[in-house]
Every structure is written in structure tokens, then in C-alpha cells.
Amino acid sequence: MRRHEEELAAEIVSNRQSFTYNIMIEYLSLKKITEMHAEEISSAMQQVINSGWFLQGESIRQFEKNYSNYIGTRHCVTCGNGLDALSLILRAYKELGKLKDGDEIIVPANTYIATILAITDNNLTPVLVEPDIRTLEIDDRLIETAITPRTGAIMLVHLYGRCAYTEHIGAICQQHNLKLIEDNAQAHGCKFGNHRTGSLGDAAAHSFYPGKNLGALGDAGAVTTDDSTLAKVIHSLANYGSARKYEFSYKGRNSRMDEIQAAVLNVKLSYLDADNSRRKEIAHIYQAKTANHRITIPHTPNRDNVYHIFPILCQEREKLQQYLNANGVQTMIHYPIPPHRQQAYKEWNDRSLPVTEQIHEQELSIPCNQALENEEIEKIICLLNQFR
């Protein structure tokens, strides 16, 4: 009997060890990230509930103040999500006569579809410019050749969390009198010199989708700008077109962040720089220890990066993804189909954008966030180096 018990105990231990080894390393555990500040988040949410005020209240005012101070702009206008933030900027410029139907907006060809949707939603024309394969950001050497008399703005996307701004882009905007609009959905806290992304252009859109570096517990977005007139128009447009109750200056929309999301973001904003530092630490370990000629890690040390996404390139992406998944590592693809190959933009389907297509065919995102443990990072590196 005693021998049977010993064998059973040994089997339980063995099963536990096997289970521990085979636990999936999640690409991003929102549960773990939320739990890091669960007490403060719960308290902040409870305060909103107790107040009985759920829209356009004190939490919104406090977040707009806190976030504009953090980004380094005079104004922050909250809204429903990142796509709305982009669209509201363009719509406001049209209302102010700065843009008109048919004007062209230069945009990176490898961006997420939301950037382009905001342009076409406003009856403007996207002009797709290839990225630089070394940085995965828009190639600033190609921008001037894309400018025509109809060009009204450059929509700069800080993709993957990496600063896409260059002094050359700034000079192009000045020389050609173009608006510079930042899509800062993936780069909260990133910098160019002493200035944060979101303060480098004329206006910037921010998404606080739960998976972002600064993520809410639902959809939320914001616009930052130094332009007081623009901020006022955006605020009205997002509130049915109204600046004063029951008076409507524009044919607006309903796009508002709620008090719960603002309260959560107020808590998480105070930890953003520390969270980004941890992401950078993990990314630097990946860069230093990954050594496999089958895998390319885009790395530009002269650009700040808050590593919302850690992309690697591999010609055998599907094989690598299956291999990592089989060994307990969850990955994602950002993004499998480029905008010009989407059915939504079928008029572009015959275009050839080889750099964009290479990125979309080879990109694989591996876990890189503040909830990762050191042993998980080491396991991922070990698996990458053993891939054949």
C-alpha cells in the first residue's frame, strides 16, 4: 500500500512538472497587467460609481489635464477610440478650411487599416508610401516624390511603438506647407529628443485600446494638439457637433470617453514610463541574445522605441509560428494582409508595394510586455535560437 502511494506521489509530481513546462506563454495577458494595479484601479472605478456621474465629469477633466501635461501639448480632447481620434482631426481641418474633399494625405503603406479608414472616411485620398525595411517606418527618402499640388498633410504612424519622426520629415512639412498628423496609437511615451510623440506635429491621435502600452478596460481615444481652435472644433464634433447644449454648429458624431475609462487611465498613466522601461529591457535582451540567421530583428538604436510590438522577420513565418506555439509560446502577426490587398480597397489590389508586402509576409510578433517573467524571456530566446 505504501509503495502504491509513493508511486502515485511521484506521478503527481511528474504531471505537475510537465504541466508547468507546457504552460502557454501568452502573447499579452491583459489579466496579469490589470492585476499589477488592481487595487488602485478598483478604487478609482468605485469612486466613479459612487459619484453617480459617468460622462463628461471630473475623471475626464483630470485625465485630459494629466495626459496633455505628459505628452507636452496645450490640449487633450478625449473621444471614443483611436479611429475616431484620427477621423476627427481630419474632419476638423476640413471644417476649418485647411483640407477639402479629394486632398491627398501621405501615409505609410504598411500601417494598420484604421489610419487609412480615417482618410477615406473624410473623402480624402490616401497616398501610400513604402516603409524603410531597416526601420519598418515610412521611408522619408520617398516622401517628396509623392507630393503633388493636392497634398494637404502627412499622416505619420509611429508603428510598433517606434518613433517614425525625422528632422527631414519636419523640414518637408515646413517647405511644402503640409500639416503633420501623428498616429500615436502604438507609441505612448515614446520620444524624439526631449519631446514625446504626440507633440511633434500639428495634431496627434491616440488609442487606449486595452492592449496598448497605455490601455483602458475598453475602447477609448484622444487627440493632443497645441492648436486651441482645432481642439475646440474637435471637442464639438465629438459631441454631436455641439459646443453648447442643444446648439449644433456642425454635423457631428457621438464619440466620448466615459468616466470609468478615464479613471482607469489616470491610474495607469502614472506607471507608463516604468512599464515602457521594462518593455525596453526585454527588447534589449532579445536583441542581444537572439542569434539565428533565419530570423531578422529590425533594430535602429538611434530611434526611441517603447516596444508596443516586438516584430521579427522570417521567410518561414508560418513554420516559426507553429513551432513556437507547439513549444508553448503564443505569437501574433501584425498584419497578415496589407491595406492595398484588402477587399475594402479592391481598387488598389493590383498595386505593387514590394517592401510593404515583404513585411506583411514575414512579420511575426513575439511577447514583449511588462508582465513577462525573466524565465519566460529566456525560454523564448532559446526557442528562437533553436529554430531550424
Side-chain angles (χ1 to χ4, degrees), residues 29 51 63 85 107 115 117 140 153 158 163 202 213 225 237 269 283 288-289 298 329 342 345 353:
S29 174
S51 76
F63 178 71
V107 63
T115 320
L117 287 172
D140 63 2
H158 303 296
C163 180
D202 296 285
N213 290 35
T225 182
L237 286 169
L269 179 59
K289 293 191 175 183
V329 177
Q342 296 286 352
Y345 293 102
L353 294 165

Side-chain angles (χ1 to χ4, degrees), residues 211 236 316 350:
S236 294
E316 299 175 283
D350 60 351

Side-chain angles (χ1 to χ4, degrees), residues 127-345:
V127 176
L128 307 182
V129 172
E130 286 266 62
D132 185 332
I133 193 62
R134 299 167 300 176
T135 66
L136 309 186
E137 307 298 327
I138 193 169
D139 192 335
D140 63 2
R141 299 168 298 182
L142 304 178
I143 290 176
E144 280 196 281
T145 60
I147 295 173
T148 75
R150 298 300 302 273
T151 305
I154 297 174
M155 189 168 277
L156 191 64
V157 184
H158 303 296
L159 201 62
Y160 308 125
R162 182 176 305 181
C163 180
Y165 180 83
T166 65
E167 290 180 350
H168 184 46
I169 291 173
I172 290 172
C173 289
Q174 285 192 336
Q175 182 181 348
H176 296 274
N177 194 29
L178 303 177
K179 294 296 182 185
L180 180 60
I181 302 166
E182 298 174 77
D183 182 340
N184 199 49
Q186 299 187 2
H188 311 131
C190 192
K191 286 186 174 182
F192 179 83
N194 294 322
H195 301 280
R196 295 193 191 276
T197 55
S199 70
L200 304 173
D202 296 285
H206 307 257
S207 167
F208 306 114
Y209 181 79
K212 306 296 187 183
N213 290 35
L214 179 60
L217 299 187
D219 273 324
V223 174
T224 54
T225 182
D226 283 330
D227 187 332
S228 298
T229 303
L230 183 71
K232 184 178 179 180
V233 174
I234 289 171
H235 187 273
S236 294
L237 286 169
N239 187 38
Y240 298 97
S242 173
R244 182 180 299 176
K245 196 167 185 178
Y246 300 132
E247 294 183 17
F248 304 92
S249 302
Y250 311 101
K251 297 174 184 176
R253 66 176 70 180
N254 176 17
S255 180
R256 297 179 295 203
M257 182 189 294
D258 66 62
E259 287 285 294
I260 290 285
Q261 303 308 334
V264 170
L265 291 169
N266 274 321
V267 171
K268 296 180 77 174
L269 179 59
S270 62
Y271 296 100
L272 178 57
D273 286 344
D275 290 343
N276 284 344
S277 293
R278 175 57 176 163
R279 286 173 178 264
K280 290 181 180 184
E281 181 183 357
I282 294 167
H284 296 160
I285 295 171
Y286 282 148
Q287 290 159 352
K289 293 191 175 183
T290 304
N292 187 332
H293 72 277
R294 294 173 179 266
I295 296 169
T296 300
I297 298 180
H299 179 43
T300 47
N302 60 326
R303 292 196 186 204
D304 192 25
N305 195 336
V306 292
Y307 297 98
H308 169 60
I309 292 168
F310 192 95
I312 61 178
L313 302 180
C314 181
Q315 292 184 358
E316 299 175 283
R317 177 179 65 193
E318 282 68 30
K319 180 180 176 182
L320 175 58
Q321 186 175 41
Q322 291 169 8
Y323 158 78
L324 290 171
N325 186 70
N327 285 278
V329 177
Q330 187 181 55
T331 59
M332 292 190 69
I333 296 172
H334 295 91
Y335 305 94
I337 305 173
H340 72 284
R341 292 291 171 85
Q342 296 286 352
Q343 178 64 20
Y345 293 102

